[in-house]
Amino acid sequence: MGVQHCIDRMAHDSPHILRVDVLPILRSGLVDSRANTLISSLPKHLAGKIAATRTSLGYTIKGDFSEEEATHAATNLFSDPIIETFTIDGSIGAGQLPDGSYSDLTVQVGFKPGVTDNRAMAAEDGLGTIFPNKSNKVASTISYHFWLHDDHLELEELVDHLHNPMLEEYSILDGKNRTGNLIRFPNLKPQNYVEPRIIDLDVDDGELERISDDGLLALNLVEMKAIQGYFKQQDTQQIRSQHDLPVDSPTDVELECLAQTWSEHCSHKIFSAKIRHTDNQNGTTSTIDSLFKTHIVAPTNAISKEVDWLLSVFHDNSGVIAWTDEWSLCMKAETHNSPSALDPFGGAMTGIVGVNRDILGTGLGAKPIANTDVFCFGPPDYSGTLPKGLFHPSRIFSGVHSGVRAGGNESGIPTINGSIVFDDRYIGKPLVYCGTVGLMPRYLPDGRESHVKTPRPGDLIYMVGGRVGSDGIHGATFSSLELTEDSPSSAVQIGDPITQKKMLDMILEARDAGLIQVITDNGAGGLSSSVGEMAELTGGATIDLGMVPLKQLGLKSWEILVSESQERMTVGIRGDDSDEFERLARLHEVEATAIGTFSDSGFFQINHNEKCVGLIPIPFLHEGCPQLQLESEWNPPTNPDVVLPIPTLRSLSTALEKILERPNVASKEWWVRSYDHEVIAQTVVKPFVGLDHDAPGDAAVIAPLPGSIIGAVISNGIVPRYSDIDAYSMTAAAIDEAVRNAVCVGVDLSMIAGLDNFCWPDPIESEKTPDGKQKLAQLVRSNQALDDVCRAYTLPCISGKDSMKNDAVIEGQKISVPPTLLFSLIGRHKDITKAVTSDFKSYDDRIYLLGLTKQEIGASELAFMIRESDNSSGIGTSVPILDPERNIALYRALGNAMENEMIRSAHDCSDGGLSVSLAESCFGFSGGANIDVSEILLGDDELDEWGALFGESLGRIIVSVSPECAMEFEKKMKGHAIYKLGRTTSSREIKISAHGKTILNCDVDSLKAAWKGTLDRRA
Amino acid sequence: MGKPNVAVLSGFGINCETETITAFEMAGATAKRTHVNRLVDGELKLSDFDILAVPGGFSFGDHLGSGRLLGNRLRFSLREEVRAFVASKKPVIGICNGFQVLVKMGLLPGDEDLSMSQTASLTANDCGRYEDRWVTLEFDRNSPCIWTRGIERLRVPVRHGEGKFVTNDHKLLDKWAQKGQLVAKYVDPDSTYPSSSDEILPFPISPNQSWRNVAGVCDPTGLVFGLMPHPEAYHSTWLSPDWTRETSLKHGPSPAMSIFRNAVEHSRNNREVA
């Protein structure tokens, strides 16, 4: 790409363009922190050539403003008189500073036409406040001004760091002619409305496939033939002729609507497929008619006979549990992987604000009260070759982090829990899991149960919030395909948390006023999905696309129907309530437009300006998609054994320090601290705990009702490494990790519910995926584990999601993620004042290990670490095996001890095993620990020091107990696996001995420095 | 006599109205979630309230500078109502984004004439980013601030990216200091009370490198108070990050509740006088 020819520019702006640019003043005690942050994020070879950097924010304004008015706006709106200076002729933006100096080089960056520009929208609102009678249109820019040491700057590389070409354009401003090269106002090309096309499906199979491929419909031949077949039916043709529709062919509106509804993203075809499963390990073959029904719904249904708190599972936007007599909680987790690969900031931000809408769209509307985020990235220090078109993992990491931070913080929802996992195979597609917890009253003031939707035929359909644009078209079908260099930029969007926040405030007020009968969000598939889904409740709906407010004119009918433009809810309102609903919308400055009515016609009817452009029977829309027929075949992989060094004081001690430095284990505090984890004042156990608030917490505890000690626990489990040996073990381990973490803070085990979020590589065998049968077998085994473990733990899944195409194909190279399950847990806490944290509390407390330790180092963090430095070593085969019955009994006994306030600290053993867990408990207080593991070693013949210290056997928790309580605690735990290890000490060291010999001795401060050093950007 | 009525502003990205309402109600007031437009449209009258609270959040996404757009809405649409409110000795608090709003609309540090012209600002933290962490505040015992009476120190969370208090007029800074308007400062928790200093303390004792370690200021009357940290986020003892390490802690309202009780008490007395 030639940097000089990047954009088409006009030499001069039109007279109605005003350019306000705002520059931070530098003087004693003031810095340009935006510039400082930029420099610290640039690679050293670039930063080294830059002598100084300043930044300015620009506003390109279309409107009729006199110079006096422009100065008024610049003084009172755009700039801060105390700390900033401005120009109104573009000169600062072009690098001509008010003191007469010029930058050596200025790079101006602005959004492409049609991209959400939040700063500009705020500016338009602000101009409306000071000039209520003037219309205006604003575009924002940012200018980076550089003074260089060295002319040989890698300009192209610098520019790459300053913008994302998918969303933004830039201009290089240097030399003399500067303002003439400023970025023009990003006008959208005017689009002329085109009538819906008629798609002739009376064609051969090859042509059917071509129609699907060319249209990005992501429908396979069998599905295309089902659609073809529907239009050949006589009844179809008869009813279509009555509506003046093409009788034997769909319109593009109808085909798009079916493609969205039948997309893998929306209809979970793989989880509903009939699978013939061959297990070559035990020589059996079986048929599974829907993994979802067999292994997810069935156990939850069985558990629902044992518990009375499951209010709404699987069918709504999130699962709902009866948390107290007056309040229910709901939870949902989503992924936003493909968009985050293309635009990490926007993709992640729309991920978090999108899942917030799932909560708002649950029942009659719940209030989002907590976010959780789990990310899987390529290693931040990745130095291998990177296929062209992919961002470096560190850029994805920081972009995703910024997006989630902006989305969560600006929405006023605390981010209370999360995790980050690193693996080479996430380079192609990162996984960005965003979860949200919601709170709603069990009953509304009008007596209705708030988890039950109550629409009736005749209710008005309102679209509320943002407008519809050409952004976000084909997100659902796009995420049902692999990522390629040709992936469409229209699938990427930037969220607008403030529009959403206004809508959220308004919706909750409308809910409490009893105005809402039915509500759902507009996410994947847009109106097509939201109205299409709700139409199932009354048996029909009619909408008119001509009523839908648009961001730009000229959108085609099908584009309006399927656009995934953000920040929109679809709401059903009784006709009598519409005035009050619209009044509330005006008060909150939220757009709410009636676009249709619910009916019982049996059809989803789509009109455009009163002309029918689509008519699809509700049953065909929702049940017409043919079931996939798939085959899976399980062959246990062969992995070479782990080559363990001789266990010595030195090798074991060094290993602990090294493992604490590894990104998977290392402290993420620097990143987590920039999330607001305390807004709305309910977070009782925060992400970081201990004396200096920098030791890792196990699970979040919240107390959402002011003044009440009833709480909720939120935790996560994720261990994709174990899939390299067996996805059954991976799944069992993820569930146990979530439960174990919750147990550590004192969850009430009689009310725990789960969410399963699968992110898989494409598991359908094809030319592109020759190993599809094995990948599908991994999915089968994962589901079998979910079924077994959830039943044993009385842990019903209440909601879940799957993302099944996590592959990237770039320049012919395919990178697939390891099969990954995120298991999220929400549970009750009976008394949050008895919550327990992971940090040791005082010297001379007794330390115990609960749970059995075996020589289970297969696919452990240790195994991966050894393999990285020793080519002859593999990751082994001894992946941890879960014994859920034994564990749950132990967990209940521990929970009982916590209720009796006998436990001073509890921390689970996961990545890196017992030694890492012990170190982390020491990080939260001022002392150390002295323990003896002889008893553990004696418990299992095969166990050696590596296994005892670094093995990852499941179901294990390290607790500390005051000397006074020790005897009673031991008595209470009788019959369970409990090992008395030693005691906490005032000396700042960890000393581990076995059979009279010291086998590990480390200084706690050195360990902590190692643990904090890797990912802390401040270090 | 009835409980004082508090208008707790909401809307446009204000996020902390719920816990601000909780804090005032725990302190003995009646607090009402009050959308800014209900005041602007005249549906509600500011003069019917006894206390005004501008809570934290991200009003208008902090675009164009934190607090700027909401500050302008209040400055251009409710100017006289706000001036009359303060003139009738009614307390006003701005927390975090609310503090930024009050500073940018010129109500803080303010002047005797209530001229509402901006004399200070809150700019980006020197660390260049938003952080959530707990800090220790020390309050000036000689301040006229009615909100901080009798409080020496408090542990509270900060959650902001733009909290560095600055001005372009050092003489004003000296004047505010002398009048006790620089009422809340970040302080080293290991020091003994009183020990606040003008020398900027290192990060993270000072989370933002605010001039003279200023965390909160009041107007010359002491009625209008704004601060970057969030006392309302610590209304109950279990919201502290340290409670699990404390032995023999009695759970209930936290020490930070004194701020809200002070204002409620002032309002009761103000009503009696009136």
Side-chain angles (χ1 to χ4, degrees):
Chain A
M1 178 180 58
V3 289
Q4 295 301 333
H5 308 288
C6 46
I7 53 165
D8 161 40
R9 294 191 208 94
M10 218 164 52
H12 296 287
D13 289 328
S14 75
H16 297 298
I17 293 277
L18 179 69
R19 290 180 180 272
V20 178
D21 289 278
V22 180
L23 181 76
I25 296 169
L26 295 184
R27 61 164 181 265
S28 165
L30 292 177
V31 296
D32 182 344
S33 64
R34 206 165 40 219
N36 295 347
T37 304
L38 168 70
I39 289 300
S40 67
S41 74
L42 288 178
K44 292 217 162 50
H45 69 273
L46 279 179
K49 290 174 184 164
I50 296 167
T53 308
R54 296 183 72 177
T55 62
S56 60
L57 298 181
Y59 303 87
T60 312
I61 304 158
K62 263 205 233 176
D64 205 4
F65 295 97
S66 67
E67 198 173 318
E68 196 185 334
E69 286 168 331
T71 306
H72 176 49
T75 312
N76 287 298
L77 175 64
F78 293 108
S79 74
D80 184 317
I82 310 296
I83 51 172
E84 290 169 337
T85 177
F86 64 83
T87 55
I88 58 170
D89 60 0
S91 52
I92 284 179
Q96 298 166 208
L97 303 193
D99 61 8
S101 67
Y102 284 72
S103 67
D104 291 341
L105 164 73
T106 289
V107 182
Q108 191 191 33
V109 176
F111 289 108
K112 287 183 172 173
V115 177
T116 300
D117 184 345
N118 288 315
R119 184 153 54 88
M121 286 193 287
E124 288 167 8
D125 190 292
L127 281 170
T129 302
I130 50 180
F131 302 115
N133 302 318
K134 274 183 192 277
S135 69
N136 71 81
K137 204 83 194 118
V138 181
S140 77
T141 60
I142 180 164
S143 292
Y144 302 95
H145 313 288
F146 299 102
W147 286 262
L148 307 175
H149 284 307
D150 186 335
D151 290 344
H152 304 289
L153 180 79
E154 292 83 351
L155 187 56
E156 244 181 84
E157 192 185 346
L158 176 68
V159 166
D160 276 349
H161 277 277
L162 298 177
H163 85 304
N164 181 349
M166 203 159 251
L167 306 166
E168 292 165 324
E169 55 194 356
Y170 67 94
S171 179
I172 306 285
L173 306 163
D174 56 3
K176 283 275 171 283
N177 182 13
R178 295 204 178 215
T179 48
N181 286 342
L182 288 167
I183 292 177
R184 287 166 59 192
F185 194 93
N187 288 309
L188 272 177
K189 282 203 189 95
Q191 212 174 327
N192 287 324
Y193 175 74
V194 183
E195 291 283 328
R197 284 187 308 130
I198 296 161
I199 314 288
D200 182 5
L201 292 187
D202 195 10
V203 294
D204 63 26
D205 290 359
E207 186 61 16
L208 282 179
E209 283 183 315
R210 202 191 55 75
I211 292 171
S212 172
D213 287 351
D214 289 356
L216 265 181
L217 301 179
L219 294 171
N220 67 25
L221 182 60
V222 178
E223 291 152 2
M224 287 299 288
K225 285 179 90 98
I227 297 172
Q228 185 187 47
Y230 167 74
F231 285 94
K232 283 185 176 159
Q233 287 170 24
Q234 223 171 21
D235 327 351
T236 306
Q237 301 191 347
Q238 198 177 355
I239 189 104
R240 292 178 70 78
S241 68
Q242 290 164 15
H243 285 84
D244 208 14
L245 283 164
V247 286
D248 56 357
S249 305
T251 62
D252 55 5
V253 179
E254 293 170 311
L255 196 56
E256 285 284 350
C257 179
L258 286 165
Q260 298 303 319
T261 312
W262 291 7
S263 67
E264 178 56 46
H265 187 103
C266 295
S267 79
H268 316 286
K269 290 186 280 205
I270 293 170
F271 265 81
S272 310
K274 187 170 272 181
I275 298 173
R276 193 169 163 74
H277 179 64
T278 305
D279 183 336
N280 289 333
Q281 195 170 13
N282 63 17
T284 59
T285 301
S286 54
T287 302
I288 302 154
D289 187 1
S290 171
L291 286 170
F292 177 60
K293 284 185 191 149
T294 311
H295 293 303
I296 300 175
V297 176
T300 292
N301 284 347
I303 295 167
S304 74
K305 299 191 174 75
E306 295 170 45
V307 303
D308 59 359
W309 42 262
L310 288 169
L311 290 181
S312 168
V313 292
F314 301 124
H315 70 270
D316 205 341
N317 289 308
S318 71
V320 189
I321 60 171
W323 173 53
T324 70
D325 290 343
E326 287 87 33
W327 296 90
S328 53
L329 289 174
C330 56
M331 189 170 178
K332 170 76 168 203
E334 277 272 9
T335 52
H336 231 221
N337 307 335
S338 304
S340 302
L342 299 174
D343 175 33
F345 176 80
M349 191 198 221
T350 46
I352 194 74
V353 296
V355 74
N356 294 161
R357 283 197 305 277
D358 277 324
I359 296 305
L360 188 60
T362 296
L364 297 171
K367 180 186 179 186
I369 58 165
N371 288 333
T372 71
D373 308 299
V374 175
F375 309 139
C376 302
F377 298 131
D381 55 353
Y382 183 76
S383 57
T385 51
L386 207 59
K388 206 173 160 55
L390 293 182
F391 287 123
H392 189 274
S394 65
R395 182 158 174 190
I396 298 211
F397 183 179
S398 62
V400 165
H401 170 261
S402 303
V404 165
R405 182 195 63 209
N409 291 2
E410 291 182 23
S411 305
I413 301 166
T415 300
I416 54 166
N417 183 247
S419 176
I420 309 176
V421 177
F422 299 99
D423 186 293
D424 282 356
R425 289 161 291 177
Y426 296 117
I427 283 171
K429 248 195 199 184
L431 304 184
V432 176
Y433 291 98
C434 298
T436 301
V437 177
L439 175 71
M440 57 182 166
R442 296 273 300 274
Y443 300 93
L444 294 184
D446 60 21
R448 286 181 298 159
E449 289 184 289
S450 62
H451 67 278
V452 182
K453 298 183 198 288
T454 53
R456 283 198 310 233
D459 286 352
L460 297 172
I461 303 171
Y462 273 85
M463 188 180 97
V464 182
R467 296 181 150 222
V468 170
S470 57
D471 48 344
I473 287 177
H474 277 157
T477 48
F478 159 61
S479 68
S480 305
L481 299 164
E482 83 267 8
L483 189 66
T484 72
E485 48 270 70
D486 304 321
S487 294
S489 62
S490 66
V492 176
Q493 303 184 68
I494 295 178
D496 170 9
I498 294 310
T499 295
Q500 177 146 323
K501 173 73 178 164
K502 288 192 286 187
M503 174 176 75
L504 194 141
D505 288 352
M506 178 243 165
I507 294 282
L508 292 177
E509 215 174 308
R511 176 198 71 186
D512 291 340
L515 304 177
I516 293 177
Q517 305 302 335
V518 61
I519 180 168
T520 198
D521 82 305
N522 284 284
L527 288 171
S528 163
S529 295
S530 69
V531 180
E533 278 166 27
M534 291 194 296
E536 216 178 354
L537 301 174
T538 58
T542 301
I543 58 168
D544 193 322
L545 299 172
M547 307 293 286
V548 175
L550 302 179
K551 289 182 187 172
Q552 72 253 31
L553 295 176
L555 286 185
K556 298 187 189 81
S557 306
W558 71 265
E559 290 177 319
I560 299 172
L561 186 66
V562 306
S563 167
E564 297 173 10
S565 289
Q566 297 284 304
E567 291 87 35
R568 292 180 297 145
M569 302 297 290
T570 303
V571 186
I573 302 290
R574 301 262 192 267
D576 291 349
D577 292 333
S578 67
D579 286 350
E580 179 58 12
F581 189 71
E582 289 182 17
R583 194 189 68 79
L584 271 183
R586 278 193 302 276
L587 175 81
H588 287 266
E589 298 182 21
V590 171
E591 198 160 17
T593 314
I595 60 165
T597 46
F598 287 106
S599 70
D600 52 7
S601 68
F603 287 91
F604 180 23
Q605 181 175 343
I606 304 145
N607 297 342
H608 199 149
N609 294 329
E610 294 174 22
K611 179 179 182 320
C612 183
V613 294
L615 186 72
I616 306 173
I618 302 289
F620 183 63
L621 183 64
H622 292 294
E623 285 141 41
C625 185
Q627 190 182 30
L628 283 177
Q629 310 284 327
L630 300 175
E631 281 186 41
S632 62
E633 191 176 323
W634 170 241
N635 293 298
T638 48
N639 284 302
D641 284 340
V642 186
V643 181
L644 291 170
I646 296 163
T648 61
L649 173 61
R650 182 146 175 210
S651 64
L652 293 165
S653 303
T654 309
L656 177 56
E657 184 162 334
K658 290 283 163 219
I659 216 162
L660 285 165
E661 280 176 358
R662 291 175 63 76
N664 277 336
V665 178
S667 169
K668 280 93 186 169
E669 188 196 350
W670 191 84
W671 302 87
V672 173
R673 220 163 260 297
S674 74
Y675 299 140
D676 188 339
H677 50 259
E678 299 185 274
V679 62
I680 65 177
Q682 58 172 11
T683 316
V684 176
V685 173
K686 303 176 206 293
F688 286 88
V689 299
L691 192 61
D692 295 319
H693 315 152
D694 60 356
D698 283 299
V701 179
I702 56 174
L705 306 177
S708 164
I709 56 163
I710 296 278
V713 175
I714 290 93
S715 63
N716 285 303
I718 184 167
V719 207
R721 282 181 277 123
Y722 293 177
S723 289
D724 288 356
I725 298 176
D726 187 356
Y728 186 100
S729 302
M730 179 277 286
T731 303
I735 302 170
D736 187 58
E737 185 179 16
V739 174
R740 221 160 59 219
N741 277 321
V743 166
C744 284
V745 297
V747 74
D748 171 4
L749 284 165
S750 73
M751 191 190 282
I752 51 172
L755 288 88
D756 53 282
N757 273 73
F758 293 85
C759 282
W760 235 250
D762 185 359
I764 300 180
E765 191 183 32
S766 69
E767 215 170 287
K768 285 186 293 188
T769 312
D771 54 352
K773 283 187 186 172
Q774 176 74 358
K775 286 171 173 166
L776 189 61
Q778 289 175 309
L779 186 67
V780 170
R781 292 186 65 78
S782 175
N783 275 274
Q784 289 168 339
L786 189 80
D787 190 334
D788 294 345
V789 179
C790 286
R791 285 176 196 264
Y793 282 172
T794 319
L795 170 59
C797 285
I798 54 170
S799 178
K801 195 85 204 219
D802 53 272
S803 166
M804 304 305 291
K805 307 275 165 157
N806 290 292
D807 312 273
V809 182
I810 309 282
E811 295 174 324
Q813 189 190 342
K814 180 167 177 178
I815 309 171
S816 298
V817 304
T820 306
L821 171 79
L822 168 68
F823 195 86
S824 312
L825 180 146
I826 179 164
R828 179 170 59 189
H829 203 293
K830 284 187 204 156
D831 178 354
I832 50 96
T833 65
K834 292 179 180 174
V836 175
T837 54
S838 70
D839 46 313
F840 288 141
K841 299 298 183 297
S842 50
Y843 310 141
D844 211 33
D845 280 348
R846 303 299 184 259
I847 303 173
Y848 298 86
L849 175 70
L850 308 180
L852 284 180
T853 306
K854 297 190 171 162
Q855 186 70 2
E856 292 176 320
I857 52 169
S860 64
E861 194 64 32
L862 177 76
F864 276 80
M865 180 167 88
I866 291 174
R867 192 178 66 167
E868 278 169 28
S869 58
D870 178 356
N871 284 336
S872 68
S873 182
I875 56 161
T877 50
S878 56
V879 68
I881 304 293
L882 186 72
D883 183 341
E885 283 79 16
R886 191 183 63 213
N887 290 350
I888 193 69
L890 175 85
Y891 296 161
R892 289 194 178 117
L894 176 60
N896 190 273
M898 285 179 175
E899 275 183 47
N900 287 293
E901 298 183 84
M902 297 164 80
I903 307 297
R904 306 203 70 175
S905 75
H907 189 31
D908 86 311
C909 297
S910 55
D911 303 0
L914 184 151
S915 60
V916 165
S917 174
L918 190 70
E920 288 177 342
S921 288
C922 288
F923 293 163
F925 94 133
S926 55
N930 189 346
I931 67 163
D932 188 315
V933 294
S934 308
E935 207 189 325
I936 300 175
L937 287 164
L938 288 171
D940 189 308
D941 289 346
E942 284 173 32
L943 189 65
D944 70 3
E945 286 86 344
W946 288 108
L949 267 51
F950 298 100
E952 297 179 358
S953 291
L954 302 168
R956 295 183 307 157
I957 295 171
I958 291 184
V959 301
S960 65
V961 175
S962 70
E964 299 79 42
C965 288
M967 278 226 326
E968 205 191 331
F969 173 66
E970 287 172 28
K971 216 164 80 193
K972 227 175 177 55
M973 297 304 291
K974 220 174 157 96
H976 300 286
I978 167 170
Y979 298 87
K980 195 168 176 175
L981 294 183
R983 55 187 63 187
T984 59
T985 61
S986 60
S987 97
R988 195 72 173 145
E989 62 171 3
I990 293 177
K991 205 167 143 194
I992 303 181
S993 48
H995 307 309
K997 230 172 52 182
T998 302
I999 58 168
L1000 183 146
N1001 194 343
C1002 293
D1003 173 65
V1004 176
D1005 291 318
S1006 311
L1007 292 179
K1008 193 169 176 180
W1011 178 70
K1012 289 183 104 171
T1014 305
L1015 296 176
D1016 187 341
R1017 283 279 184 86
R1018 197 175 284 119
Chain B
M1 188 170 63
K3 295 173 170 182
N5 282 320
V6 189
V8 177
L9 294 190
S10 72
F12 304 120
I14 289 172
N15 288 333
C16 301
E17 70 272 26
T18 309
E19 59 269 40
T20 305
I21 289 170
T22 299
F24 276 108
E25 301 223 313
M26 282 171 68
T30 301
K32 187 178 170 69
R33 181 187 310 264
T34 307
H35 195 284
V36 175
N37 279 352
R38 291 197 208 269
L39 293 171
V40 172
D41 297 347
E43 184 187 328
L44 296 172
K45 275 163 67 184
L46 192 55
S47 56
D48 289 340
F49 292 93
D50 302 300
I51 299 173
L52 171 65
V54 190
F58 275 84
S59 57
F60 297 97
D62 271 5
H63 300 300
L64 285 71
S66 52
R68 168 68 58 198
L69 290 172
L70 184 57
N72 273 358
R73 287 248 182 162
L74 298 178
R75 189 158 63 116
F76 288 99
S77 314
L78 285 171
R79 183 188 166 88
E80 292 314 315
E81 288 87 338
V82 171
R83 291 184 68 190
F85 194 83
V86 180
S88 59
K89 292 201 165 39
K90 291 178 174 178
V92 179
I93 190 168
I95 301 170
C96 193
N97 197 225
F99 180 32
Q100 293 162 338
V101 167
L102 297 185
V103 166
K104 296 197 179 173
M105 64 190 280
L107 206 58
L108 282 176
D111 49 43
E112 282 76 3
D113 309 329
L114 284 168
S115 68
M116 289 174 86
S117 50
Q118 185 181 346
T119 50
S121 193
L122 292 153
T123 185
N125 301 347
D126 272 9
C127 68
R129 57 190 227 123
Y130 177 104
E131 283 208 336
D132 176 345
R133 61 170 70 245
W134 282 62
V135 295
T136 303
L137 299 184
E138 184 166 300
F139 298 93
D140 181 353
R141 64 176 106 184
N142 299 317
S143 170
C145 185
I146 66 103
W147 294 84
T148 59
R149 271 182 206 151
I151 312 174
E152 294 181 348
R153 282 188 176 183
L154 276 182
R155 295 272 293 149
V156 276
V158 287
R159 310 192 310 248
H160 62 251
E162 298 179 27
K164 179 180 172 179
F165 182 82
V166 299
T167 177
N168 56 0
D169 185 341
H170 283 265
K171 277 195 208 122
L172 272 178
L173 199 61
D174 289 332
K175 187 182 133 196
W176 296 328
Q178 194 212 338
K179 292 188 147 186
Q181 287 180 252
L182 307 180
V183 56
K185 291 185 173 184
Y186 303 108
V187 68
D188 183 349
D190 294 331
S191 65
T192 48
Y193 177 86
S195 67
S196 75
S197 85
D198 289 347
E199 196 75 27
I200 296 173
L201 292 165
F203 179 91
I205 294 170
S206 160
N208 48 30
Q209 307 300 287
S210 203
W211 289 8
R212 300 197 185 182
N213 302 306
V214 169
V217 302
C218 65
D219 78 336
T221 67
L223 288 164
V224 186
F225 174 47
L227 75 171
M228 287 312 299
H230 287 271
E232 85 291 1
Y234 181 30
H235 56 62
S236 300
T237 46
W238 53 76
L239 297 170
S240 149
D242 301 310
W243 72 267
T244 58
R245 300 191 64 80
E246 283 172 34
T247 43
S248 66
L249 172 70
K250 201 177 163 300
H251 278 294
S254 83
M257 281 302 298
S258 314
I259 289 183
F260 303 96
R261 283 195 212 103
N262 277 337
V264 169
E265 191 178 331
H266 170 92
S267 289
R268 288 214 179 96
N269 296 338
N270 190 34
R271 275 206 207 161
E272 273 169 25
V273 173

